[in-house]
C-alpha cells in the first residue's frame, strides 16, 4: 500500500512537471515574435539615424522624412541615402520572418490625382532601392496614401514637410 502511494505521488509529480514544461514551451513560442521584433527594433534604432524608428506591439515603423529621401516633387531617391538604405536592407535581410509595407505620403498641396500618383511612385522607388540591396520583392508591398494620413498640420510649412514622407511598417509573418 505504501509503495502504491509512493508510485502515485511520483506519477502525479511527473504529470505536473510535464504540464509545467508544456506551458513554458507554449509561452516561449508565443513570445518569440515579440523577442524577434524587439531585436530587429534595437538594430534598426542603432543603424538608422536619419529615420524615426518605433515599435508598436509586434510591429515596427520606420519613417524617413521626405527631404532625406526625395527632392521636392520628385520620386527619385536621393543618392546620399543609398548607404543608409544598404544598412537598412542588411537588417531587413537578417530578419527574413517579416513583411514590409511601404507607404508613400504627401502634403495637401497639389491635386488629389497628382498627390496619389506621387505617393505611389515614391513608395515604389523606395521598394526598388531595397530590392536592389537584395530584399525579396515578395516580402514588400507598396501603397500610395497621398495626403490621407497626415502626422502634422498641413497649415504650416513645417507640418507639410513632416507629412511628405515614406513609412515602412515591418510586420512579423505568422506563416513563417
Amino acid at each position: 500500500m505504501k509503495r502504491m502511494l509512493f508510485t502515485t505521488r511520483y506519477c502525479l509529480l511527473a504529470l505536473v512537471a510535464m504540464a509545467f514544461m508544456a506551458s513554458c514551451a507554449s509561452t516561449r513560442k508565443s513570445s518569440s515574435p515579440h523577442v524577434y521584433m524587439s531585436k530587429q527594433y534595437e538594430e534598426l534604432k542603432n543603424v538608422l539615424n536619419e529615420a524615426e524608428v518605433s515599435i508598436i506591439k509586434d510591429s515596427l515603423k520606420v519613417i524617413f522624412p521626405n527631404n532625406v529621401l526625395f527632392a521636392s516633387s520628385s520620386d527619385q531617391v536621393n543618392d546620399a541615402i543609398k548607404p543608409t538604405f544598404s544598412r537598412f536592407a542588411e537588417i531587413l535581410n537578417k530578419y527574413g520572418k517579416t513583411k514590409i509595407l511601404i507607404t508613400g505620403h504627401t502634403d495637401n498641396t497639389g491635386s488629389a490625382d497628382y498627390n496619389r500618383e506621387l505617393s505611389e511612385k515614391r513608395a515604389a522607388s523606395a521598394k526598388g532601392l531595397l530590392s536592389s540591396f537584395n530584399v525579396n520583392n515578395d516580402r514588400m508591398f507598396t501603397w500610395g496614401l497621398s495626403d490621407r494620413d497626415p502626422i502634422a498640420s498641413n497649415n504650416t510649412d513645417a507640418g507639410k514637410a513632416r507629412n511628405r514622407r515614406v513609412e515602412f511598417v515591418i510586420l512579423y509573418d505568422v506563416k513563417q
Side-chain angles (χ1 to χ4, degrees):
M1 178 76 167
K2 205 175 197 183
R3 183 178 181 153
M4 193 170 131
L5 187 58
F6 190 74
T7 305
T8 305
R9 282 185 187 166
Y10 274 114
C11 287
L12 184 59
L13 182 60
L15 285 173
V16 168
M18 287 190 313
F20 178 74
M21 288 176 10
S23 71
C24 288
S26 67
T27 302
R28 188 170 44 250
K29 187 174 182 179
S30 66
S31 69
S32 177
H34 179 72
V35 170
Y36 187 85
M37 297 302 283
S38 293
K39 286 180 182 177
Q40 186 176 16
Y41 166 75
E42 290 299 326
E43 285 193 46
L44 288 170
K45 193 85 169 146
N46 290 331
V47 167
L48 300 178
N49 298 326
E50 299 85 346
E52 187 180 311
V53 181
S54 55
I55 188 167
I56 304 162
K57 293 191 180 186
D58 285 337
S59 67
L60 307 176
K61 185 183 272 191
V62 178
I63 301 174
F64 283 94
N66 177 53
N67 63 335
V68 170
L69 285 179
F70 304 100
S72 182
S73 297
S74 173
D75 63 353
Q76 298 302 307
V77 178
N78 288 330
D79 286 338
I81 198 68
K82 290 181 180 179
T84 300
F85 260 56
S86 175
R87 294 188 310 270
F88 184 31
E90 189 176 307
I91 294 170
L92 292 174
N93 287 331
K94 182 177 177 182
Y95 293 89
K97 294 181 183 179
T98 57
K99 299 284 186 183
I100 304 114
L101 174 63
I102 305 166
T103 57
H105 300 266
T106 65
D107 60 27
N108 65 353
T109 304
S111 71
D113 286 340
Y114 175 79
N115 284 337
R116 180 190 46 75
E117 187 177 324
L118 181 59
S119 66
E120 289 171 0
K121 286 180 176 179
R122 285 179 170 173
S125 289
K127 177 183 177 180
L129 185 55
L130 286 175
S131 181
S132 75
F133 292 115
N134 300 317
V135 177
N136 187 332
N137 277 322
D138 293 339
R139 294 176 55 207
M140 297 184 286
F141 306 89
T142 60
W143 192 14
L145 287 175
S146 186
D147 63 348
R148 290 181 283 180
D149 190 22
I151 58 173
S153 170
N154 276 308
N155 294 330
T156 66
D157 289 340
K160 286 181 179 189
R162 288 200 62 217
N163 290 331
R164 296 187 301 265
R165 68 198 187 279
V166 174
E167 294 183 359
F168 299 82
V169 179
I170 304 167
L171 304 163
Y172 187 83
D173 185 2
V174 294
K175 294 179 186 177
Q176 289 283 329

